[in-house]
């Protein structure tokens, strides 16, 4: 088709290919001349391949000026029409692997920040991570069949987290449906059933803009979610020189609205009355509070009325952990609450899953009526946009002192701090006895480094996952400002996306998007597991290529931490175990990042400082391989809900 | 209050918890000889029997926690947890007033039972406190005993 002859800047594919071929021939001839006399290292040096490096073409390509498609001249492809719409909708970034070429090239040309990496699943997680720390719509893309099916775990994760994620994939050509030509048409839409808010296989080329509008209407209205579009070649490569050939070609002001559901004054009054009468009220601030950027009004209101807050969702920080009204670490106090208000809680627990009293009165605010009352019976359900509701309630709610409640929260917070300090002390003894790193030690050392040392404690974005290590990290991580922590395993519990997701978050920090603006360029941290590493490790190439500095701590316990499940099944145990003492740090070095291998708390401390300094000053990533052993997985369970470290809801 | 009214009063409270999905299911038993057995589908998808005995003035969970050896750290911790319920250290709204109700537990070959004795005839107070206590046992006391929970309730640890 036309795109194979000429791309949007008029360069033919043949001319484009001619350059590297010529360079390759030159290098080969140098090698041929030298090969007889030179050692392999000298030979490689001669051809310029001694060290890992970012090729000039990447740097140049990244600084190319954008070129949005237009109807002028040769007009726009269907892909360019779609890309233009994405640009107008301010799509924040796209993370992909090659495939779906016409579409990804058009999106890059349109000036949308784009990233290409090594595995579609990991790139999908990156797009999700970018969105989790900014609230922005992001996209991921892969080729039909193989690329698309590789994304699936992370599409499902994004769906569980209600991430506004646009999943794009090519899907052969309609002309070849069922012909088994090559890469047979996959039934993509049925594959994402139950994992999306909206999806469509585009089959009518002139409707490409119309369905782009469908996509962004779903992505930017109400409760966010995944949107999946698959593009057969006929749609992506169709050409348009005038708008009359495209259906419903009008702007976002007409195909969607920024209008939000406002609460009924009666409901606000009733809610204010219930809260005023309460002695120990709590607000569970879910990710709707983050998405609607309602953290300021929330804080202002609860400070005046002394209402405790615990945040929930796939990101943390929309209520600061160090606030005197934060109950994130006071899970035992939650049982005392007499009224609970859920707001922006999209993943809804059941009453036996959350630590509230059986007598608590429940209020829930949600933008969609049909979700109110699901899983958690209500005393008062209110349909409203989260921000609109908090503003209305803020106007209604007077000042109130609740000294006893505030001190109960403080006492339970102190109790929690003692609890984790005791676990750490035992972990430290274990570390000293074994010469290996106990997960509590890793979590506490990282905590001290990020929040108690010379770095601004609000600065560093941290992602976390894994099982044994996650259990400890969850208790020690802190969020002091919106979008500071990524709960990578939120709701879906996937082992694996952590590092990729945090690299995506790192891309947002690098660009200073939304709440990451004050910390633009700072390194990000992830604490993950050896099992998880298998899904993300190659993306250190991607982080290095785009100079997104990440410090990745890998809890290396030589196993899938579920190995105790093999108890009583001696023939099964091998399936849970890896080779011991694997060198993920050396693999990182092979991918252009740094590696550190640590066994003691002292070594870890030094490695943290060294890795951070190099990340901050030179933009270089490090993988810190923390050697442990499987026996440290005893009595592991995730933290109580809701609290710091909760990932289920 | 006549006995039948007391039975109804407690049943109404328990039904109220079922209506709030604290219990996923509730079956009000038939009183006989001053005794009634309520069945509650509750934590860990288990059916809990709650025996109300107006002659003894007790509310009793005969099989609250199975497989807890008498001489285990877990049972000692459980007894300490119950002692703390009455302690002045706890905020008043979380205490069980010893003048109104007394909490005891027993362990028969690893089977832990829990009994609340009503001291002043206030069954509403008693049942609400008891349900809150058992809820707290499952939400808070059992947190460090996940391996025990996995074994006893045959849990898939992926769903903690
Ligand atoms: C992709 C994926 N595979 C399997 C599981 C089931 N699972 C949950 S936790 C776990 C063990 C994970 O091991 P690891 O991440 O290394 O954690 P640790 O060894 O620190 O406990 C497994 C197998 C899962 N949640 N996700
Ligand atoms: Mg492991």
């Amino acid at each position: 088709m036309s795109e194979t002859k000429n791309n949007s800047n008029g360069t033919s594919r043949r001319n484009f290919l001619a350059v590297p071929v010529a360079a390759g021939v030159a290098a080969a001839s140098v090698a041929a001349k030298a090969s007889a006399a030179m050692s392999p290292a000298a030979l490689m040096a001669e051809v310029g391949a001694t060290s890992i490096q970012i090729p000039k073409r990447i740097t140049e390509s990244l600084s190319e000026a954008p070129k949005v498609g237009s109807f002028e001249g040769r007009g726009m492809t269907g892909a360019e029409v779609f890309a233009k719409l994405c640009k107008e909708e301010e799509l924040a970034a796209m993370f992909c692997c090659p495939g779906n070429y016409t579409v990804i090239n058009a999106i890059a040309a349109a000036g949308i920040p784009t990233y290409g990496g090594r595995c579609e699943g990991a790139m999908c997680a990156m797009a999700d991570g970018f969105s989790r720390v900014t609230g922005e719509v992001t996209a991921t893309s892969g080729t039909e069949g193989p690329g698309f099916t590789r994304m699936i775990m992370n599409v499902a994760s994004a769906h569980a987290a209600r991430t506004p994620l646009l999943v794009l994939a090519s899907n052969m050509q309609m002309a070849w449906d069922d012909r088994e030509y090559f890469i047979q048409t996959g039934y993509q839409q049925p594959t994402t059933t139950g994992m999306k808010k909206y999806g469509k296989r585009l089959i009518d080329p002139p409707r490409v803009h119309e369905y782009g509008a469908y996509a962004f209407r779903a992505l930017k209205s109400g409760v966010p979610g995944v949107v999946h579009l698959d593009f057969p070649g006929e749609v992506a490569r169709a050409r348009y020189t005038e708008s009359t050939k495209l259906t419903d070609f009008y702007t976002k002001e007409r195909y969607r609205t920024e209008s939000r559901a406002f609460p009924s004054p009666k409901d606000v009054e009733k809610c204010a009355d219930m809260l005023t009468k309460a002695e120990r009220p709590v607000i569970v601030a879910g990710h709707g509070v983050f998405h609607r950027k309602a953290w300021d009004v929330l804080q202002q209101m609860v400070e005046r009325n002394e209402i405790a807050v615990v945040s929930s969702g796939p990101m943390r920080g929309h209520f600061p952990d160090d606030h005197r009204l934060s109950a994130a670490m006071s899970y035992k106090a939650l049982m005392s609450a007499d009224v609970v208000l859920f707001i922006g809680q999209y993943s809804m627990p059941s009453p036996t899953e959350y630590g509230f009293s059986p007598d608590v009165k429940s209020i829930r605010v949600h933008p969609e009526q049909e979700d109110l009352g699901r899983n958690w019976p209500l005393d008062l359900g209110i349909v409203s946009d989260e921000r609109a509701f908090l503003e209305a309630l803020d106007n209604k709610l007077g000042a109130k002192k609740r000294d006893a409640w505030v001190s109960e929260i403080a006492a339970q917070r102190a109790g929690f701090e003692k609890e984790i300090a005791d676990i750490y002390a035992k972990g430290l003894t274990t570390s000293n006895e074994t010469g290996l790193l106990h997960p509590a030690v890793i979590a506490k050392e990282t905590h001290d480094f990020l929040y108690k040392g010379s770095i601004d404690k609000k600065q560093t974005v941290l992602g976390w996952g894994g099982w044994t290590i996650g259990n400890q990290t969850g208790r020690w991580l802190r969020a002091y400002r919106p979008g500071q922590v990524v709960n990578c395993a939120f709701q879906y519990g996937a082992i694996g996306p952590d590092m990729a997701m945090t690299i995506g978050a790192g891309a947002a920090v690098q660009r200073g998007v939304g709440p990451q603006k004050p910390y633009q360029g700072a390194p990000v941290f992830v604490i993950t597991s050896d099992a998880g590493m298998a899904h993300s490790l190659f993306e250190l190439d991607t982080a290095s290529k785009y100079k997104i500095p990440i410090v990745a701590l890998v809890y290396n316990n030589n196993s899938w931490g579920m190995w105790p499940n093999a108890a009583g099944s001696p023939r099964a145990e091998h399936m849970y175990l890896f080779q011991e003492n694997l060198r993920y740090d050396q693999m990182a070095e092979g991918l252009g990042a740094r590696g550190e291998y640590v066994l003691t708390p002292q070594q870890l401390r030094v490695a943290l400082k060294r890795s951070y300094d190099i990340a901050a000053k030179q933009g270089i990533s490090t993988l810190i391989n923390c050697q442990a052993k499987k026996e440290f997985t005893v009595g592991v369970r995730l933290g109580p809900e809701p609290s710091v470290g909760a990932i289920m809801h | 209050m006549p006995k039948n009214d007391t039975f109804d009063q407690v049943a109404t409270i328990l039904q109220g918890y079922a209506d709030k999905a604290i219990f996923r299911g509730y079956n009000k038993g038939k009183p006989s000889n001053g005794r009634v057995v309520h069945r509650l589908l509750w934590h860990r998808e288990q059916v809990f029997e709650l025996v109300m005995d107006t002659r003894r003035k007790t509310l009793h969970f005969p099989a609250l926690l199975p497989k807890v050896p008498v001489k285990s750290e877990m049972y000692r911790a459980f007894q300490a947890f119950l002692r703390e319920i009455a302690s002045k250290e706890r905020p008043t709204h979380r205490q069980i007033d010893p003048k109104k109700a007394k909490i005891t537990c027993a362990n028969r070959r690893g089977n832990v039972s829990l009994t609340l004795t009503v001291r002043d005839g206030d069954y509403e107070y008693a049942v609400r406190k008891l349900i809150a206590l058992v809820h707290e046992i499952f939400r808070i006391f059992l947190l460090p005993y996940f391996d025990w929970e996995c074994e006893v309730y045959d849990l898939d640890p992926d769903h903690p």
Side-chain angles (χ1 to χ4, degrees), chain A residues 282 284 310-314 316 327-335 340 342 345 347-357 376 416 464 487 489-492 637-649, chain B residues 135 138-140 143 159-160:
Chain A
V282 173
V284 180
V310 54
S311 69
S312 68
R316 300 193 69 251
M329 279 167 277
S330 314
Y331 67 90
K332 288 188 181 170
L334 296 179
M335 209 53 96
V340 56
F342 293 99
Q345 174 101 9
S347 173
M348 206 55 204
S350 303
T352 44
E353 292 169 315
Y354 259 27
F356 289 106
S357 148
W376 194 295
F416 172 82
W464 65 291
N487 290 342
F490 179 78
Q491 227 321 278
Y492 199 64
R637 95 176 292 155
L638 294 170
E641 301 233 324
S643 77
V644 60
I647 53 161
M648 288 162 64
H649 299 96
Chain B
H135 190 61
F138 277 82
R139 287 305 321 164
I140 294 181
L143 282 172
H159 307 125

Side-chain angles (χ1 to χ4, degrees), chain A residues 464-636:
Chain A
W464 65 291
W467 175 245
T468 314
I469 184 63
N471 172 55
Q472 301 292 344
T473 314
R475 296 168 185 188
W476 285 100
L477 59 84
R478 299 288 175 265
Y480 302 105
R481 51 92 177 173
Q484 195 178 356
V485 165
V486 193
N487 290 342
C488 300
F490 179 78
Q491 227 321 278
Y492 199 64
I495 293 293
D498 319 332
M499 189 172 80
M501 206 178 272
T502 311
I503 293 171
V509 177
Q510 189 186 44
R511 291 179 180 275
V513 177
Q516 308 305 334
K517 181 85 197 148
Y519 312 100
Q520 184 161 10
V524 294
F525 272 57
V526 64
I527 306 184
T528 183
S529 63
D530 48 357
M533 243 317 127
H535 297 244
S536 286
L537 196 124
F538 254 75
E539 303 311 333
L540 279 176
D541 174 34
T542 312
S544 303
K545 164 177 155 185
Y546 292 106
K547 301 200 175 94
I548 298 167
I550 181 164
V551 177
L553 288 94
V554 179
Y555 177 66
N556 180 358
N557 64 347
N558 311 316
S559 60
W560 290 92
M562 285 292 165
W563 65 269
N565 276 16
S569 308
R571 266 183 69 78
E573 201 174 333
H574 64 94
M575 296 189 285
Y576 296 72
L577 308 180
F578 311 144
Q579 296 179 82
E580 296 191 347
N581 312 320
L582 287 174
R583 297 303 297 269
Y584 304 102
D585 48 310
Q586 292 178 352
M587 294 167 78
E589 286 170 2
L591 288 164
R594 292 178 65 255
E596 300 258 8
Y597 184 65
V598 294
L599 295 103
T600 67
Q602 292 73 19
Q603 289 171 353
L604 174 59
R605 211 168 294 163
V606 172
L608 281 168
K609 165 113 183 64
R610 192 161 44 214
S611 307
Y612 177 82
D613 286 347
I614 293 172
K617 290 187 191 124
Q618 298 174 46
I620 294 172
S621 297
T622 300
L623 185 153
I624 306 181
N625 184 354
C626 302
Q627 189 62 56
K629 64 175 180 171
K630 72 178 197 304
E631 285 72 17
F632 298 159
T633 303
V634 173
V636 167

Side-chain angles (χ1 to χ4, degrees), chain A residues 35-50:
Chain A
S35 61
M38 285 177 145
S39 69
L43 174 65
M44 295 300 269
E46 185 73 15
V47 296
T50 46

Side-chain angles (χ1 to χ4, degrees), chain A residues 68 89 91 93 102 203 248 255 278 314 341 355 381 400 461 560 609 633:
Chain A
V68 188
E89 283 283 9
L91 176 67
T102 325
I203 52 168
D248 294 356
Y255 65 67
L341 164 65
K400 187 149 178 161
V461 166
W560 290 92
K609 165 113 183 64
T633 303

Side-chain angles (χ1 to χ4, degrees), chain A residues 52-108:
Chain A
I52 296 165
Q53 55 186 303
I54 301 171
K56 223 168 74 202
R57 245 342 263 157
I58 288 184
T59 325
E60 287 167 359
S61 165
L62 282 168
S63 54
E64 290 283 345
K67 191 164 172 285
V68 188
S70 86
F71 290 118
E72 305 299 305
R74 298 191 63 249
M76 280 189 276
T77 60
E80 284 169 327
V81 171
F82 181 74
K84 190 166 185 296
L85 182 142
C86 291
K87 179 70 184 162
E88 277 153 16
E89 283 283 9
E90 296 171 35
L91 176 67
M94 179 182 68
F95 297 82
C96 65
C97 290
N100 197 17
Y101 312 107
T102 325
V103 171
I104 64 170
N105 294 355
I107 288 179

